[in-house]
C-alpha cells in the first residue's frame, strides 16, 4: 500500500491512459476504511464532472466484471445504464447481487461524507485555494486528492508562462499543505518521453519542473495494458524485449 506524508505534496504521475485517476480513486477508497466517524477525504476533480467520477468510484469499489459478454461497452456503461434508467439486462447474472450490495455500501460511504467529490466552478488556483480553505474550516478533512495538477491555471494567466503558472500553483499548494498539516496527493500528466516502463523518471512530468521540485513523494505509474511507443517497429520491439528482461513477468499490452 502507498503512504503519503502529512503537511506535504505528493504526486501520482502517469501518461494518458495509464490510470492516474483510477489510482487516486483507489487511494481514497483504501483510506476511507481507516477514517473515524466525521472524518472526510476531499476528492477534487478537474477531469470529469461529479456524476462521472461517482460512477468511476462505484466501478472501482465493485472491483469485478459487471457487463455480460453480450452487453455493450464497459462496466462504466452498464453502471450508467443502471443509475440513469434502472436497466440491469446487460449485467452478468452472477455479478448482479454483489454489485447491488456494493452499491448500497458505496452510497453509505457517500452519505456519511467519508469521501466528498467536488468539481470546482473553474480551474483557477484562487478558486482551489479558497475551496480547500473553506473545506478545512468546515469539515474534518484527513487528506486532499486532486485530479490533476496540470489542469490548474492562474486567473491572470497571460502574465505567466505555463511553467511559471504551475510554479505558482505548486508553491501555494505546498504552503496550504504545511498550514493544514494535511497530505495533498495530486495526479500529474507525463509527457510523451515516458514511452515505456523503463523510461519513467521525474523529468517526464509535463509542463513544469516545479511539480517535481515541490513534491515530497512522487510515484510514477505504467499500466500493463498500454503498449510501448517508438519511432519504428524495431525500436518498439527492442523496448519490449528490454522491459521483459529487466522486469520479469511484466507483459506489455496485456489486459
Amino acid at each position: 500500500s502507498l503512504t503519503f506524508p502529512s503537511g506535504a505534496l505528493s504526486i501520482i504521475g502517469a501518461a494518458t491512459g495509464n490510470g492516474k485517476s483510477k489510482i487516486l480513486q483507489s487511494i481514497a477508497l483504501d483510506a476511507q476504511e481507516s477514517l473515524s466517524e466525521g472524518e472526510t477525504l476531499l476528492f477534487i476533480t478537474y477531469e470529469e464532472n461529479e456524476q462521472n467520477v461517482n460512477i468511476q468510484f462505484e466501478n472501482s469499489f465493485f472491483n469485478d466484471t459487471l457487463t455480460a459478454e453480450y452487453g455493450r461497452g464497459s462496466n462504466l456503461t452498464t453502471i450508467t445504464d443502471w443509475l440513469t434508467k434502472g436497466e440491469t439486462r446487460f449485467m452478468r447474472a452472477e455479478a448482479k447481487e454483489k454489485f447491488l450490495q456494493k452499491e448500497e455500501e458505496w452510497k453509505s460511504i457517500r452519505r456519511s461524507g467519508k469521501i466528498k467529490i467536488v468539481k470546482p466552478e473553474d480551474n483557477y488556483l484562487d478558486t482551489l485555494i479558497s475551496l480547500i480553505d473553506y473545506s478545512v474550516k468546515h469539515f474534518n478533512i484527513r487528506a486532499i486528492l486532486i485530479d490533476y495538477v496540470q489542469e490548474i491555471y492562474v486567473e491572470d494567466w497571460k502574465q505567466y508562462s505555463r511553467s511559471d503558472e504551475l510554479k505558482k500553483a505548486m508553491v501555494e499548494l505546498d504552503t496550504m499543505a504545511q498550514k493544514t498539516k494535511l497530505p495533498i496527493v495530486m495526479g500529474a500528466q507525463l509527457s510523451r518521453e515516458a514511452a515505456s516502463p523503463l523510461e519513467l523518471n521525474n523529468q517526464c512530468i509535463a509542463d513544469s519542473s516545479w511539480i517535481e521540485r515541490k513534491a515530497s513523494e512522487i510515484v510514477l505509474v505504467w499500466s500493463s495494458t498500454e503498449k510501448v511507443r517508438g519511432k519504428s517497429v524495431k525500436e518498439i520491439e527492442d523496448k519490449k524485449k528490454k522491459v521483459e528482461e529487466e522486469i520479469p513477468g511484466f507483459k506489455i499490452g496485456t489486459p
Side-chain angles (χ1 to χ4, degrees):
S1 62
L2 299 174
T3 57
F4 301 100
S6 297
L9 304 180
S10 298
I11 294 292
I12 303 292
T16 300
N18 278 263
K20 63 182 178 298
S21 298
K22 192 174 182 69
I23 290 171
L24 286 170
Q25 292 164 16
S26 295
I27 291 168
L29 289 172
D30 287 343
Q32 64 84 25
E33 294 180 357
S34 63
L35 295 183
S36 301
E37 185 174 352
E39 292 182 328
T40 294
L41 300 171
L42 183 63
F43 191 96
I44 299 171
T45 173
Y46 291 104
E47 276 276 80
E48 303 269 4
N49 61 40
E50 182 181 344
Q51 181 181 15
N52 288 344
V53 174
N54 181 72
I55 291 169
Q56 292 167 10
F57 260 107
E58 194 164 321
N59 181 44
S60 295
F61 189 61
F62 175 57
N63 194 30
D64 200 350
T65 301
L66 179 62
T67 305
E69 290 185 5
Y70 58 81
R72 58 187 182 83
S74 63
N75 274 18
L76 296 178
T77 303
T78 304
I79 294 172
T80 301
D81 286 344
W82 162 248
L83 293 177
T84 57
K85 298 180 285 188
E87 189 171 277
T88 62
R89 62 190 173 122
F90 295 121
M91 292 183 186
R92 287 194 307 126
E94 58 270 34
K96 181 178 175 180
E97 183 177 347
K98 175 188 172 183
F99 169 73
L100 295 177
Q101 177 184 339
K102 296 294 283 187
E103 185 194 29
E104 286 304 312
E105 291 176 24
W106 171 240
K107 286 180 179 177
S108 177
I109 291 170
R110 292 298 308 276
R111 282 194 296 267
S112 70
K114 283 187 174 182
I115 297 178
K116 293 186 182 297
I117 302 170
V118 179
K119 182 172 177 62
E121 60 185 23
D122 57 50
N123 288 39
Y124 292 136
L125 176 62
D126 286 350
T127 302
L128 174 61
I129 295 298
S130 296
L131 169 61
I132 293 173
D133 191 52
Y134 176 88
S135 299
V136 170
K137 288 176 180 175
H138 290 83
F139 304 101
N140 188 4
I141 304 293
R142 277 284 303 275
I144 298 165
L145 299 99
I146 301 173
D147 191 16
Y148 62 97
V149 63
Q150 284 108 332
E151 290 288 341
I152 302 169
Y153 296 83
V154 297
E155 197 155 7
D156 51 346
W157 58 271
K158 290 184 179 179
Q159 299 181 37
Y160 293 84
S161 67
R162 185 65 185 123
S163 178
D164 284 342
E165 270 191 297
L166 286 167
K167 173 183 176 181
K168 182 176 174 63
M170 292 298 292
V171 168
E172 291 200 22
L173 286 167
D174 186 42
T175 300
M176 180 61 75
Q178 293 180 50
K179 172 184 170 184
T180 60
K181 297 180 174 57
L182 292 173
I184 297 180
V185 185
M186 299 183 285
Q189 186 78 18
L190 299 187
S191 65
R192 291 193 61 81
E193 280 68 38
S196 83
L198 301 180
E199 296 170 277
L200 299 180
N201 58 69
N202 292 353
Q203 287 70 47
C204 289
I205 298 174
D207 294 333
S208 179
S209 61
W210 280 89
I211 299 174
E212 173 196 353
R213 289 177 190 173
K214 298 303 287 186
S216 176
E217 298 285 338
I218 298 176
V219 179
L220 303 181
V221 178
W222 182 279
S223 170
S224 63
T225 63
E226 291 296 308
K227 298 177 180 179
V228 301
R229 297 188 299 274
K231 296 178 181 178
S232 67
V233 173
K234 183 179 185 306
E235 184 181 11
I236 291 170
E237 289 303 315
D238 287 346
K239 286 183 179 183
K240 286 173 63 178
K241 184 178 179 181
K242 192 171 182 181
V243 170
E244 290 167 358
E245 289 173 351
E246 297 199 22
I247 315 177
F250 191 92
K251 301 297 183 182
I252 290 290
T254 302

